[in-house]
Amino acid sequence: TEIYALLMIDTLASHIAPGLLSEHLQPLITRITLALSAADDTPDDIRSRVRILASAARRRDAAHFENVAQATVRRKRLEILYFTKSRNERSTRIVSPQRLIHYKENWYLVAWCHKAEALRLFALDSVEDARVLKEAAFEADKPAVDAMVGKDFGIYSGGDRKWAKLRFSALQARWVEAEVWHPEQKTSHLDDGSLVLEVPYSDQRELLLDVLKFGPEAEVLEPSELREEMRSRLRRALSQYE
């Protein structure tokens, strides 16, 4: 049982960050396998029976992951070259890592940016270079770090909290009811079998994208500004087919 569990951990670790833990886990896996004389269950055979698929994930080798992880754990500052996709620009920054987040197949770093003098969220797949510095990292206020990620729906947090009220058709309700969109979510059923889901959010970008994937099976009910933004996006999308 221990061997199977360890190999599963090894498989998942390799999927999350290829190469990060394999060199440390492999000697342990080999020793336990030999100690228990599990000759019929070789590590390679067990791995061949487990497959993890990722869909639409920004998967590429995290070339600088180890440096970022070391700086985060050892409380050292980092010098990073960061590519901001939305502005199509690169910048060099000195940051103090606070926390690593793994979310939807991608790694993010919550760090204090010494240029902006504020907490920022960096996607590790946009870090093009990372160098660990000798200076100790600045310790940001822990509640502020906690509020950066996970407080509201999605990876982006901060700002005023609002509640989104979403309606899903009776057909789609069967699946949505089994999903956890947010720990504080509220659900209720309507007479026609449809499901009303309420979730807190402070940044609408990811929430709208997640609702859009349900197409006509979902509707934004409240608040009015979120409903209007969804209507605007649907109109722009429809105009491409007219």
Side-chain angles (χ1 to χ4, degrees):
T1 303
E2 286 84 353
I3 291 176
Y4 280 98
L6 192 60
L7 289 174
M8 286 293 291
I9 291 172
D10 182 43
T11 300
L12 290 169
S14 297
H15 173 68
I16 292 173
L20 178 64
L21 296 177
S22 297
E23 61 179 295
H24 305 294
L25 285 175
Q26 191 55 52
L28 182 59
I29 292 171
T30 301
R31 286 201 303 272
I32 293 179
T33 302
L34 293 175
L36 297 181
S37 301
D40 295 333
D41 294 318
T42 64
D44 289 340
D45 181 61
I46 295 176
R47 283 195 190 91
S48 71
R49 300 179 189 278
V50 179
R51 188 177 182 188
I52 300 173
L53 297 176
S55 175
R58 300 198 306 267
R59 295 291 294 159
R60 74 179 193 187
D61 291 341
H64 308 290
F65 183 92
E66 191 162 348
N67 281 349
V68 174
Q70 285 181 4
T72 304
V73 173
R74 296 176 181 173
R75 313 304 307 121
K76 296 294 184 182
R77 299 189 187 195
L78 271 173
E79 182 182 74
I80 63 172
L81 175 62
Y82 193 75
F83 176 55
T84 305
K85 295 184 178 71
S86 60
R87 297 195 298 269
N88 192 32
E89 66 180 30
R90 289 173 174 81
S91 60
T92 299
R93 312 182 188 206
I94 304 298
V95 301
S96 288
Q98 305 295 316
R99 186 172 300 168
L100 275 170
I101 308 290
H102 187 255
Y103 177 73
K104 290 187 175 180
E105 310 297 332
N106 299 296
W107 282 101
Y108 297 86
L109 174 69
V110 178
W112 178 268
C113 178
H114 292 272
K115 180 179 180 180
E117 295 187 342
L119 287 169
R120 291 290 186 265
L121 185 68
F122 299 96
L124 259 62
D125 70 331
S126 291
V127 174
E128 298 185 343
D129 193 18
R131 185 168 63 91
V132 182
L133 303 178
K134 294 180 180 180
E135 293 85 355
F138 169 76
E139 290 288 346
D141 183 55
K142 189 176 184 298
V145 176
D146 292 338
M148 279 290 293
V149 178
K151 178 175 68 73
D152 298 321
F153 178 87
I155 190 66
Y156 300 105
S157 295
D160 296 333
R161 168 180 271 202
K162 302 175 183 177
W163 281 84
K165 183 179 287 188
L166 316 169
R167 185 187 66 82
F168 296 90
S169 69
L171 176 63
Q172 198 62 51
R174 304 167 191 171
W175 284 271
V176 176
E177 188 174 22
E179 298 176 350
V180 178
W181 287 47
H182 190 273
E184 298 177 42
Q185 69 184 38
K186 306 171 187 176
T187 58
S188 59
H189 289 274
L190 300 181
D191 293 340
D192 62 357
S194 59
L195 177 76
V196 174
L197 173 68
E198 297 180 64
V199 293
Y201 76 98
S202 54
D203 189 301
Q204 66 180 13
R205 289 174 290 176
E206 189 177 349
L207 178 59
L208 288 173
L209 287 174
D210 274 14
V211 176
L212 277 168
K213 71 183 182 183
F214 290 94
E217 304 299 324
E219 176 187 5
V220 175
L221 300 177
E222 298 176 8
S224 58
E225 61 268 24
L226 187 67
R227 182 178 174 88
E228 182 55 40
E229 177 60 25
M230 178 62 81
R231 180 186 288 115
S232 175
R233 292 192 179 202
L234 289 170
R235 283 173 176 164
R236 295 199 301 272
L238 181 60
S239 68
Q240 299 184 88
Y241 295 90
E242 294 177 342

